[in-house]
Amino acid sequence: MRYTLLLHYPEMSPEELGPEVLAQGQEAMRSYAATLQQAGVLLAAEVLQPSHASTTVTVRDGQLHVQDGPFADTKEQLGGYFVLNVPDLDAALDWARQAPGAQWGSVEIRPGATHTVDGVWVPNS
């Protein structure tokens, strides 16, 4: 079953983190992605640009509204995600526990409902 691990954490600039902490975080994420790949469960992953680079779009009563920044105005922001194919929630919980982001933020686990294959929506099994 497909699960998405949503990584939420306080955003800090490279200057705020310092070069050593930044390098440790990058190595932890590289190692985690390699471990997921070797286990054969990794379907996709992406680290996102900081939330100030995001744009939020809504349409209400037929009117388009475009807002700079994320919809949520909280300290923690969505920073990236991993899409995994694992047998069940317990397996997803185990991978989430090992995610480096769990040490400096939170990892939300959400089962997928559908996904696309060649542009066509396919129900998850």
Side-chain angles (χ1 to χ4, degrees):
M1 182 165 187
R2 295 170 69 105
Y3 286 90
T4 299
L5 308 183
L6 301 165
L7 310 176
H8 299 269
Y9 46 82
E11 294 179 327
M12 297 179 70
S13 69
E15 294 77 25
E16 293 171 310
L17 289 171
E20 186 174 315
V21 172
L22 179 62
Q24 289 172 350
Q26 290 172 333
E27 174 54 25
M29 292 297 282
R30 186 209 60 75
S31 177
Y32 182 63
T35 300
L36 291 170
Q37 184 69 35
Q38 289 173 345
V41 299
L42 181 62
L43 297 176
E46 188 164 352
V47 174
L48 303 175
Q49 292 284 329
S51 62
H52 68 76
S54 68
T55 303
T56 301
V57 172
T58 56
V59 178
R60 298 292 182 267
D61 298 323
Q63 295 292 316
L64 173 67
H65 300 273
V66 179
Q67 172 187 339
D68 289 339
F71 183 75
D73 189 18
T74 64
K75 186 174 181 181
E76 289 192 342
Q77 299 294 330
L78 178 62
Y81 65 88
F82 290 90
V83 180
L84 308 181
N85 188 12
V86 294
D88 53 34
L89 178 59
D90 288 338
L93 285 166
D94 188 50
W95 284 114
R97 178 187 58 78
Q98 298 176 56
Q103 297 177 34
W104 57 74
S106 62
V107 179
E108 177 184 346
I109 303 168
R110 190 175 299 185
T114 62
H115 65 281
T116 59
V117 176
D118 298 327
V120 177
W121 288 105
V122 177
N124 289 356
S125 54

